[in-house]
Amino acid sequence: MGRIPPEDWALPMIDALNEDFFTAGRLLLQACRACSAVQHPPEHVCRSCQGADFESRESVGTGTVYSFTVAHYPAHPSLSDSVPYAAVLVELDDYKHVRLTGNVLDVEPSEVAIGMRVRVVWQEVQDASGQMLKIPQWQRAEA
Amino acid sequence: MQRKTAVVGVGESEYFNRGGATVSEFELACTAIRNAVEDAGLPLSDVDGFVSYLDARNDPVRLSAALGLPVLNFSSQTWGGGGNGVASSLMIADAAVSAGYAEVVVAFRALAQGQFGRFGQARAGGGPASYTAHYGVMTAAQICAIQTQRFMYENDVPQDALAEISLASFAHAQRNPRAVRYGRPLTREEYHESRWIAEPLHLFDCCPENDGAAAVVITSMERARDLRKPPVPILAAAQGIEHGGGIPAFNESNFPTAHHRHAGEMLWQRAGVGPGDVQVAQFYENFTGPVLMAMAEMGFCAPEEIASFVSNGNIQWPDGNLPINTSGGNLGEAYIHGFENINEAVRQVRGESTCQVEGVELSLSVSGPGFAPGSTILFCRD
Ligand SMILES: [Zn+2]
């Protein structure tokens, strides 16, 4: 299987909303101080109560594959050596309404299935601005 | 809304394979517009408004100059996604004419993608895309594949249900000389043997890219009755999403969704009829899976009934209870970003389809599924 994401692939563009998620090295989710709702992706306003004061809530980082695709067509030339690769949606155990996109790094695409148990792992990489990113990825976990 | 306006003209350019057009996209647009206005029996100089969707390149100022219009009174387009805005564009035209801001509005779409970049082309993302693009999820096919995979899992939908959408479109294209796939039918075996694009989507689950343009002319009901052909009234249109339906990166509160549940509810409420009253429907096929989801969300059946609803020829002309995509649709006629489905929905009311359903009183068009906000439009007999 090819490497996904490949070495030269685009990194997330860091902004005020996603910085915690992609740099903390812990799975930090956005929680509303007023109503305690946890929402993903982060937004400037709480989707539940329209509050605008937030704190971080840490997930334990385990979950279940909720859906996936196996991409066979490389949507970009940089992905030519990576196909076929699987991209998954992970439903978190502790915040079931939160679904995170990722790749299961230690599993062949043909073995990925809905219901597979996974745990978060961290991919460390420096972006063009010199900032160190810690990007959440996934590996298979025991049922 | 409620028969205040009607479609009075339908037109298109010739449809080509991607890169097959020998003229510019702008010329294709002009050709489709001229044909639609001529079909209406109106002089071109009566057109005073234009609507389209998704960053339409052929802007109304250039069009009005090129077509020599005496005045331009109205121009607009919808936000969001892509083909999910087809019906919304007619909704804007209906609103503009009803409000008196314009008298004769052309809704249109022109595509010659080889002359420009590809829609949904892969690119690195900031904002919401930062949560998906790095993991290799960028294209409409991949997004719709992830939606479809979950929908199939939750509702026990077999691959053959996806095939039924594709087979219906290709079968209907065989009767339509405009169709790019005219004379090239598809078998169930060819469908299943075609390569994967993004599982569970095969090649024939994905719409092709084509060059061409299509247009319709909308005017007031009073004016419509004096024209060359019987008017096709707009009974209702709807666009929108429910709370949480627009959360990005697969976190919609109602995931997996085609984004048509709210638009569907609003449509039936405004029209005063239900899905069971419709004789024929055009469903924008970007990919077959989201079409199944859209059919359920529009209320034609429960999600867990979708496989049986689309099987046994039920969505094929002439014997099915709900023939869909009767011109061949995006898959079989041409991908004119879904606008060809509007033309076909109008032709079904007029009795001009090459797969004409008998006794059409209500003709539905549902825009691109899988992207928010959904939109839909219902035409009726005058
Ligand atoms: Zn809140």
PDB file of all heavy atoms in Angstrom, chain A residues 94-113:
ATOM      1  N   ASP A  94     -16.303   9.048  23.415  1.00  0.00           N
ATOM      2  CA  ASP A  94     -16.785   9.929  24.491  1.00  0.00           C
ATOM      3  C   ASP A  94     -17.588  11.125  23.974  1.00  0.00           C
ATOM      4  O   ASP A  94     -18.234  11.812  24.766  1.00  0.00           O
ATOM      5  CB  ASP A  94     -15.625  10.392  25.400  1.00  0.00           C
ATOM      6  CG  ASP A  94     -14.378  10.803  24.642  1.00  0.00           C
ATOM      7  OD1 ASP A  94     -14.416  10.798  23.391  1.00  0.00           O
ATOM      8  OD2 ASP A  94     -13.376  11.134  25.294  1.00  0.00           O
ATOM      9  N   TYR A  95     -17.555  11.384  22.682  1.00  0.00           N
ATOM     10  CA  TYR A  95     -18.387  12.459  22.112  1.00  0.00           C
ATOM     11  C   TYR A  95     -18.980  11.901  20.813  1.00  0.00           C
ATOM     12  O   TYR A  95     -18.460  12.118  19.726  1.00  0.00           O
ATOM     13  CB  TYR A  95     -17.554  13.725  21.862  1.00  0.00           C
ATOM     14  CG  TYR A  95     -17.012  14.288  23.165  1.00  0.00           C
ATOM     15  CD1 TYR A  95     -15.695  14.070  23.540  1.00  0.00           C
ATOM     16  CD2 TYR A  95     -17.839  15.007  24.024  1.00  0.00           C
ATOM     17  CE1 TYR A  95     -15.206  14.561  24.745  1.00  0.00           C
ATOM     18  CE2 TYR A  95     -17.368  15.492  25.234  1.00  0.00           C
ATOM     19  CZ  TYR A  95     -16.054  15.267  25.590  1.00  0.00           C
ATOM     20  OH  TYR A  95     -15.583  15.738  26.776  1.00  0.00           O
ATOM     21  N   LYS A  96     -20.069  11.170  20.941  1.00  0.00           N
ATOM     22  CA  LYS A  96     -20.554  10.336  19.833  1.00  0.00           C
ATOM     23  C   LYS A  96     -21.035  11.146  18.630  1.00  0.00           C
ATOM     24  O   LYS A  96     -21.117  10.620  17.523  1.00  0.00           O
ATOM     25  CB  LYS A  96     -21.689   9.434  20.325  1.00  0.00           C
ATOM     26  CG  LYS A  96     -21.209   8.363  21.276  1.00  0.00           C
ATOM     27  CD  LYS A  96     -21.646   6.988  20.801  1.00  0.00           C
ATOM     28  CE  LYS A  96     -21.154   5.893  21.736  1.00  0.00           C
ATOM     29  NZ  LYS A  96     -20.094   5.089  21.123  1.00  0.00           N
ATOM     30  N   HIS A  97     -21.357  12.411  18.860  1.00  0.00           N
ATOM     31  CA  HIS A  97     -21.826  13.211  17.720  1.00  0.00           C
ATOM     32  C   HIS A  97     -20.652  13.826  16.959  1.00  0.00           C
ATOM     33  O   HIS A  97     -20.858  14.457  15.930  1.00  0.00           O
ATOM     34  CB  HIS A  97     -22.750  14.323  18.208  1.00  0.00           C
ATOM     35  CG  HIS A  97     -22.070  15.320  19.095  1.00  0.00           C
ATOM     36  ND1 HIS A  97     -21.623  14.999  20.362  1.00  0.00           N
ATOM     37  CD2 HIS A  97     -21.727  16.618  18.894  1.00  0.00           C
ATOM     38  CE1 HIS A  97     -21.046  16.067  20.898  1.00  0.00           C
ATOM     39  NE2 HIS A  97     -21.097  17.059  20.030  1.00  0.00           N
ATOM     40  N   VAL A  98     -19.435  13.618  17.450  1.00  0.00           N
ATOM     41  CA  VAL A  98     -18.260  14.167  16.772  1.00  0.00           C
ATOM     42  C   VAL A  98     -17.683  13.104  15.849  1.00  0.00           C
ATOM     43  O   VAL A  98     -17.396  11.989  16.272  1.00  0.00           O
ATOM     44  CB  VAL A  98     -17.198  14.624  17.794  1.00  0.00           C
ATOM     45  CG1 VAL A  98     -15.901  15.003  17.078  1.00  0.00           C
ATOM     46  CG2 VAL A  98     -17.727  15.799  18.614  1.00  0.00           C
ATOM     47  N   ARG A  99     -17.523  13.476  14.576  1.00  0.00           N
ATOM     48  CA  ARG A  99     -16.934  12.569  13.593  1.00  0.00           C
ATOM     49  C   ARG A  99     -15.688  13.214  13.016  1.00  0.00           C
ATOM     50  O   ARG A  99     -15.738  14.322  12.477  1.00  0.00           O
ATOM     51  CB  ARG A  99     -17.952  12.248  12.496  1.00  0.00           C
ATOM     52  CG  ARG A  99     -19.087  11.374  12.980  1.00  0.00           C
ATOM     53  CD  ARG A  99     -20.094  11.092  11.878  1.00  0.00           C
ATOM     54  NE  ARG A  99     -20.912  12.247  11.573  1.00  0.00           N
ATOM     55  CZ  ARG A  99     -22.077  12.534  12.152  1.00  0.00           C
ATOM     56  NH1 ARG A  99     -22.577  11.727  13.061  1.00  0.00           N
ATOM     57  NH2 ARG A  99     -22.752  13.601  11.807  1.00  0.00           N
ATOM     58  N   LEU A 100     -14.560  12.500  13.135  1.00  0.00           N
ATOM     59  CA  LEU A 100     -13.281  13.021  12.661  1.00  0.00           C
ATOM     60  C   LEU A 100     -12.843  12.254  11.431  1.00  0.00           C
ATOM     61  O   LEU A 100     -12.908  11.022  11.392  1.00  0.00           O
ATOM     62  CB  LEU A 100     -12.226  12.890  13.762  1.00  0.00           C
ATOM     63  CG  LEU A 100     -12.565  13.576  15.098  1.00  0.00           C
ATOM     64  CD1 LEU A 100     -11.424  13.374  16.093  1.00  0.00           C
ATOM     65  CD2 LEU A 100     -12.834  15.070  14.886  1.00  0.00           C
ATOM     66  N   THR A 101     -12.392  12.981  10.426  1.00  0.00           N
ATOM     67  CA  THR A 101     -11.868  12.357   9.218  1.00  0.00           C
ATOM     68  C   THR A 101     -10.411  11.971   9.453  1.00  0.00           C
ATOM     69  O   THR A 101      -9.690  12.665  10.173  1.00  0.00           O
ATOM     70  CB  THR A 101     -11.964  13.340   8.045  1.00  0.00           C
ATOM     71  OG1 THR A 101     -13.319  13.781   7.938  1.00  0.00           O
ATOM     72  CG2 THR A 101     -11.558  12.685   6.730  1.00  0.00           C
ATOM     73  N   GLY A 102      -9.984  10.864   8.861  1.00  0.00           N
ATOM     74  CA  GLY A 102      -8.590  10.452   9.025  1.00  0.00           C
ATOM     75  C   GLY A 102      -8.259   9.246   8.171  1.00  0.00           C
ATOM     76  O   GLY A 102      -9.025   8.867   7.274  1.00  0.00           O
ATOM     77  N   ASN A 103      -7.091   8.667   8.452  1.00  0.00           N
ATOM     78  CA  ASN A 103      -6.655   7.444   7.794  1.00  0.00           C
ATOM     79  C   ASN A 103      -6.251   6.458   8.885  1.00  0.00           C
ATOM     80  O   ASN A 103      -5.709   6.870   9.909  1.00  0.00           O
ATOM     81  CB  ASN A 103      -5.458   7.709   6.874  1.00  0.00           C
ATOM     82  CG  ASN A 103      -5.677   8.892   5.954  1.00  0.00           C
ATOM     83  OD1 ASN A 103      -5.033   9.929   6.111  1.00  0.00           O
ATOM     84  ND2 ASN A 103      -6.598   8.768   5.011  1.00  0.00           N
ATOM     85  N   VAL A 104      -6.522   5.175   8.679  1.00  0.00           N
ATOM     86  CA  VAL A 104      -6.073   4.146   9.629  1.00  0.00           C
ATOM     87  C   VAL A 104      -4.721   3.665   9.122  1.00  0.00           C
ATOM     88  O   VAL A 104      -4.645   2.923   8.137  1.00  0.00           O
ATOM     89  CB  VAL A 104      -7.088   2.993   9.735  1.00  0.00           C
ATOM     90  CG1 VAL A 104      -6.680   2.055  10.878  1.00  0.00           C
ATOM     91  CG2 VAL A 104      -8.490   3.536   9.992  1.00  0.00           C
ATOM     92  N   LEU A 105      -3.648   4.102   9.771  1.00  0.00           N
ATOM     93  CA  LEU A 105      -2.315   3.999   9.173  1.00  0.00           C
ATOM     94  C   LEU A 105      -1.791   2.568   9.088  1.00  0.00           C
ATOM     95  O   LEU A 105      -0.983   2.270   8.219  1.00  0.00           O
ATOM     96  CB  LEU A 105      -1.331   4.871   9.980  1.00  0.00           C
ATOM     97  CG  LEU A 105      -1.673   6.368  10.016  1.00  0.00           C
ATOM     98  CD1 LEU A 105      -0.658   7.123  10.871  1.00  0.00           C
ATOM     99  CD2 LEU A 105      -1.725   6.960   8.608  1.00  0.00           C
ATOM    100  N   ASP A 106      -2.248   1.683   9.962  1.00  0.00           N
ATOM    101  CA  ASP A 106      -1.655   0.343  10.001  1.00  0.00           C
ATOM    102  C   ASP A 106      -2.565  -0.734   9.416  1.00  0.00           C
ATOM    103  O   ASP A 106      -2.371  -1.910   9.677  1.00  0.00           O
ATOM    104  CB  ASP A 106      -1.270  -0.018  11.452  1.00  0.00           C
ATOM    105  CG  ASP A 106      -2.496  -0.026  12.381  1.00  0.00           C
ATOM    106  OD1 ASP A 106      -3.555   0.515  11.973  1.00  0.00           O
ATOM    107  OD2 ASP A 106      -2.399  -0.582  13.485  1.00  0.00           O
ATOM    108  N   VAL A 107      -3.551  -0.332   8.615  1.00  0.00           N
ATOM    109  CA  VAL A 107      -4.514  -1.303   8.087  1.00  0.00           C
ATOM    110  C   VAL A 107      -4.621  -1.156   6.567  1.00  0.00           C
ATOM    111  O   VAL A 107      -4.685  -0.037   6.055  1.00  0.00           O
ATOM    112  CB  VAL A 107      -5.900  -1.090   8.751  1.00  0.00           C
ATOM    113  CG1 VAL A 107      -6.951  -1.955   8.093  1.00  0.00           C
ATOM    114  CG2 VAL A 107      -5.818  -1.376  10.238  1.00  0.00           C
ATOM    115  N   GLU A 108      -4.595  -2.299   5.865  1.00  0.00           N
ATOM    116  CA  GLU A 108      -4.776  -2.280   4.412  1.00  0.00           C
ATOM    117  C   GLU A 108      -6.154  -1.713   4.074  1.00  0.00           C
ATOM    118  O   GLU A 108      -7.125  -1.995   4.798  1.00  0.00           O
ATOM    119  CB  GLU A 108      -4.682  -3.699   3.854  1.00  0.00           C
ATOM    120  CG  GLU A 108      -3.291  -4.305   3.904  1.00  0.00           C
ATOM    121  CD  GLU A 108      -2.323  -3.637   2.928  1.00  0.00           C
ATOM    122  OE1 GLU A 108      -2.780  -3.140   1.878  1.00  0.00           O
ATOM    123  OE2 GLU A 108      -1.118  -3.604   3.238  1.00  0.00           O
ATOM    124  N   PRO A 109      -6.268  -0.951   2.975  1.00  0.00           N
ATOM    125  CA  PRO A 109      -7.571  -0.366   2.610  1.00  0.00           C
ATOM    126  C   PRO A 109      -8.691  -1.402   2.540  1.00  0.00           C
ATOM    127  O   PRO A 109      -9.811  -1.135   2.982  1.00  0.00           O
ATOM    128  CB  PRO A 109      -7.308   0.247   1.232  1.00  0.00           C
ATOM    129  CG  PRO A 109      -5.842   0.472   1.174  1.00  0.00           C
ATOM    130  CD  PRO A 109      -5.189  -0.555   2.048  1.00  0.00           C
ATOM    131  N   SER A 110      -8.375  -2.587   2.025  1.00  0.00           N
ATOM    132  CA  SER A 110      -9.425  -3.600   1.854  1.00  0.00           C
ATOM    133  C   SER A 110      -9.933  -4.138   3.188  1.00  0.00           C
ATOM    134  O   SER A 110     -10.974  -4.790   3.240  1.00  0.00           O
ATOM    135  CB  SER A 110      -8.900  -4.746   0.989  1.00  0.00           C
ATOM    136  OG  SER A 110      -7.770  -5.328   1.618  1.00  0.00           O
ATOM    137  N   GLU A 111      -9.195  -3.893   4.271  1.00  0.00           N
ATOM    138  CA  GLU A 111      -9.622  -4.405   5.583  1.00  0.00           C
ATOM    139  C   GLU A 111     -10.435  -3.388   6.380  1.00  0.00           C
ATOM    140  O   GLU A 111     -11.009  -3.721   7.412  1.00  0.00           O
ATOM    141  CB  GLU A 111      -8.404  -4.810   6.422  1.00  0.00           C
ATOM    142  CG  GLU A 111      -7.678  -6.026   5.898  1.00  0.00           C
ATOM    143  CD  GLU A 111      -6.431  -6.323   6.726  1.00  0.00           C
ATOM    144  OE1 GLU A 111      -6.468  -6.103   7.947  1.00  0.00           O
ATOM    145  OE2 GLU A 111      -5.431  -6.736   6.127  1.00  0.00           O
ATOM    146  N   VAL A 112     -10.469  -2.151   5.925  1.00  0.00           N
ATOM    147  CA  VAL A 112     -11.201  -1.125   6.656  1.00  0.00           C
ATOM    148  C   VAL A 112     -12.703  -1.409   6.556  1.00  0.00           C
ATOM    149  O   VAL A 112     -13.206  -1.762   5.484  1.00  0.00           O
ATOM    150  CB  VAL A 112     -10.881   0.278   6.097  1.00  0.00           C
ATOM    151  CG1 VAL A 112     -11.795   1.331   6.701  1.00  0.00           C
ATOM    152  CG2 VAL A 112      -9.423   0.621   6.368  1.00  0.00           C
ATOM    153  N   ALA A 113     -13.393  -1.305   7.660  1.00  0.00           N
ATOM    154  CA  ALA A 113     -14.831  -1.579   7.672  1.00  0.00           C
ATOM    155  C   ALA A 113     -15.507  -0.719   8.730  1.00  0.00           C
ATOM    156  O   ALA A 113     -14.880  -0.317   9.715  1.00  0.00           O
ATOM    157  CB  ALA A 113     -15.084  -3.059   7.970  1.00  0.00           C
TER     158      ALA A 113
END
